């Protein structure tokens, strides 16, 4: 997978970035709706923030794509 810093980012990188930012937006909306920050909300924030950050970093770096289907080629025919 080509990361977001490449000239042609792959679809997976774009999807990971969008999903990471959506997680951050959900977290912000939950914080804005809460008049006081309770223990459960704090736990949710601590779970969603690293998950969103990991998705964004993974999208920036890129994940190696599996090789083409070399096993389908028939050698010698």
């Amino acid at each position: 997978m080509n990361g977001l810093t490449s000239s042609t980012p792959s679809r997976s990188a774009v999807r990971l970035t969008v999903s990471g930012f959506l997680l951050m937006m959900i977290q912000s909306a939950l914080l804005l709706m809460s008049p006081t920050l309770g223990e459960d909300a704090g736990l949710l924030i601590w779970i969603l923030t690293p998950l969103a950050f990991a998705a964004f970093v993974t999208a920036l770096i890129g994940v190696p794509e599996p090789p083409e289907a070399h096993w389908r080629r028939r050698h010698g025919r």
Side-chain angles (χ1 to χ4, degrees):
M1 169 171 81
N2 294 334
L4 289 178
T5 55
S6 72
S7 61
T8 56
S10 65
R11 290 182 183 176
S12 300
V14 174
R15 286 181 185 149
L16 279 171
T17 304
V18 170
S19 64
F21 280 116
L22 284 175
L23 283 171
M24 284 189 246
M25 287 175 32
I26 290 170
Q27 175 184 349
S28 298
L30 288 173
L31 278 174
L32 290 173
M33 291 188 309
S34 174
T36 60
L37 186 61
E39 187 175 321
D40 293 337
L43 180 65
L44 185 63
I45 291 167
W46 283 107
I47 291 173
L48 288 179
T49 301
L51 189 62
F53 183 72
F56 183 67
V57 169
T58 304
L60 280 178
I61 294 172
V63 177
E65 291 186 0
E68 299 285 328
H70 293 293
W71 57 273
R72 289 187 180 189
R73 282 193 242 161
R74 294 185 179 200
H75 299 287
R77 289 191 182 191

